[in-house]
Amino acid sequence: MQVNFQTVNVNNHKNYYKNNTPSFTGAPHVESKLFAPVTKKYDDLAEFIARNYYEKFYRSNFGKWFIDKTKNVKNMTTHMSALGATLISGMYTIRTLQNDKLDPEKRKTLALNDVMTWGISTAGSYFLDHRLGKWCDGVTTRFVANYVDTKPEAKNKELFGDWDPKKIYQFIEEAPQRAYDKITEMKAKLSPEEFEAWLKKARLNKDDITDISDQLLYKEYSKIKKMCKDNKTPEVLKKWLKDSGTTEEALGKISKTVTKSVLDLNLDFLRDKRLTTLIDGIGILKSLFVFGMVYRYIVPVLVMKPANKIGAYLHKKNAEKNQDQNVNKAA
């Protein structure tokens, strides 16, 4: 949906968001002189990777194709970890069953152990990875707040001024409205050429203006929809949709691009390349840690004993079956 930035009628919800969003009250990050050289080298390495790997990958034809095909796939690291574990476990199971040096019953017990370990590990990893999602989001938000607090250049002061990273939850809600207000102010003050130059300094382009307008339109829609639900007056919503010249279907598409997290905040407004790399890394590290711990340490220990018992039970049943067959043949 295309929304004209100059004609969209969106009310200012600053007071509404101020009264309904929590504040981040974590202590500011303190730089250690002892680790300053190490931190500097790490920063340089992260910047080098962001510039020479991520940026080049995202700008390449393959990168654009890959991102387009996988943009709706969530938890890609989790799925790739599960796929890798499935291939490895499958290989071990097949090789175990084909190993003529092992006793046939021992082969079955080991193969059963492999299959049970893979199945329980995969289910457990997905479950634990999902359960840790909110915790990881909180860690990421606190990390970004500290990062921006120690690196003022990441604040995009040209667009937002000197905002307080300790109130980052509130700022995520306010960012589209604050950006809209600033753009409106600068558009009125500057000539078209000067305004384009200012947009570049504010890390924005003309398409971003439409995106911000769409976000505010969606926020207004959400507020009215909630009011209609409480008061059971859908006529108000229908009238608003008609006056706005939009549809619920179009607004549903906009909802997918609304700024909701620190990752969205950075991609939509701050646009700090290194911060993008670090945010992505936290989620990847969480998933890799969960899968590594579950597959390598937790489940194999838990599965070994029940797998051995199941294997012994099956071995006993096969032995009894063979014995009955031998008795019947002898008779």
Side-chain angles (χ1 to χ4, degrees):
M1 182 188 71
Q2 295 298 317
V3 180
N4 190 311
F5 178 75
Q6 294 177 309
T7 60
V8 172
N9 180 18
V10 182
N11 294 329
N12 192 323
H13 302 314
K14 289 183 179 178
N15 293 329
Y16 174 80
Y17 294 123
K18 184 176 181 181
N19 296 328
N20 290 276
T21 53
S23 296
F24 172 76
T25 56
H29 176 71
V30 179
E31 293 286 351
S32 170
K33 293 182 179 180
L34 179 63
F35 294 102
V38 177
T39 303
K40 179 65 168 59
K41 288 183 179 179
Y42 176 81
D43 290 348
D44 292 342
L45 177 61
E47 178 65 27
F48 176 82
I49 294 173
R51 185 174 61 255
N52 293 282
Y53 171 69
Y54 278 101
E55 184 175 0
K56 289 184 178 180
F57 173 76
Y58 289 138
R59 292 182 183 278
S60 68
N61 291 330
F62 173 77
K64 292 175 182 177
W65 174 86
F66 183 79
I67 291 169
D68 181 64
K69 295 298 182 182
T70 61
K71 61 184 177 182
N72 294 322
V73 178
K74 296 182 178 179
N75 303 322
M76 180 61 75
T77 301
T78 303
H79 298 325
M80 294 303 292
S81 297
L83 176 61
T86 300
L87 294 174
I88 294 172
S89 296
M91 180 190 69
Y92 273 117
T93 302
I94 293 172
R95 291 187 64 179
T96 298
L97 291 173
Q98 293 176 344
N99 191 344
D100 296 332
K101 296 181 180 178
L102 293 174
D103 177 80
E105 296 303 327
K106 185 68 173 177
R107 276 185 285 177
K108 291 178 183 179
T109 300
L110 291 175
L112 178 65
N113 192 314
D114 290 338
V115 172
M116 286 183 64
T117 298
W118 167 80
I120 296 174
S121 295
T122 302
S125 295
Y126 271 102
F127 173 77
L128 189 58
D129 190 66
H130 175 72
R131 295 292 292 181
L132 289 176
K134 288 187 177 180
W135 171 84
C136 187
D137 289 342
V139 171
T140 304
T141 301
R142 290 191 291 274
F143 169 80
V144 171
N146 285 327
Y147 176 92
V148 175
D149 197 36
T150 56
K151 298 187 183 302
E153 63 273 16
K155 290 183 177 181
N156 195 354
K157 292 183 180 180
E158 190 70 37
L159 183 62
F160 295 118
D162 193 13
W163 56 277
D164 187 0
K166 295 184 184 68
K167 297 180 180 178
I168 196 166
Y169 285 105
Q170 179 180 332
F171 184 73
I172 290 171
E173 292 284 355
E174 294 178 347
Q177 184 67 62
R178 290 181 62 167
Y180 179 93
D181 293 343
K182 186 66 175 179
I183 293 169
T184 303
E185 175 192 342
M186 300 305 290
K187 191 175 182 66
K189 286 169 55 176
L190 304 175
S191 67
E193 294 77 15
E194 291 173 330
F195 180 66
E196 276 198 42
W198 177 83
L199 280 178
K200 190 173 181 181
K201 287 183 182 178
R203 306 170 194 173
L204 299 173
N205 55 54
K206 290 184 178 179
D207 290 336
D208 293 323
I209 296 177
T210 300
D211 293 339
I212 293 168
S213 299
D214 286 352
Q215 283 204 47
L216 294 178
L217 190 66
Y218 178 78
K219 285 177 178 288
E220 182 73 6
Y221 159 75
S222 299
K223 182 181 177 181
I224 294 175
K225 188 175 182 181
K226 184 178 184 299
M227 180 188 69
C228 290
K229 183 179 179 182
D230 293 342
N231 299 324
K232 298 180 180 179
T233 54
E235 294 80 12
V236 176
L237 182 60
K238 290 179 181 178
K239 184 178 184 305
W240 182 89
L241 288 170
K242 184 179 179 181
D243 293 343
S244 301
T246 186
T247 64
E248 290 195 82
E249 182 182 2
L251 290 164
K253 294 178 180 178
I254 294 174
S255 67
K256 298 176 183 178
T257 62
V258 171
T259 305
K260 298 176 182 176
S261 65
V262 288
L263 177 59
D264 295 335
L265 176 67
N266 184 51
L267 293 176
D268 293 344
F269 298 109
L270 304 184
R271 299 188 174 174
D272 185 295
K273 294 177 183 177
R274 180 170 175 267
L275 185 56
T276 302
T277 304
L278 294 173
I279 292 173
D280 288 343
I282 292 174
I284 292 171
L285 180 62
K286 181 259 297 181
S287 295
L288 292 177
F289 176 79
V290 167
F291 269 74
M293 289 297 294
V294 172
Y295 273 98
R296 294 289 182 182
Y297 300 104
I298 299 176
V299 173
V301 174
L302 296 176
V303 165
M304 186 179 298
K305 192 171 182 178
N308 287 337
K309 285 186 176 181
I310 294 173
Y313 174 78
L314 294 175
H315 176 67
K316 180 182 177 182
K317 284 294 183 181
N318 285 333
E320 290 175 353
K321 183 178 179 180
N322 292 332
Q323 186 176 4
D324 291 341
Q325 289 177 350
N326 291 333
V327 170
N328 292 332
K329 287 181 181 180

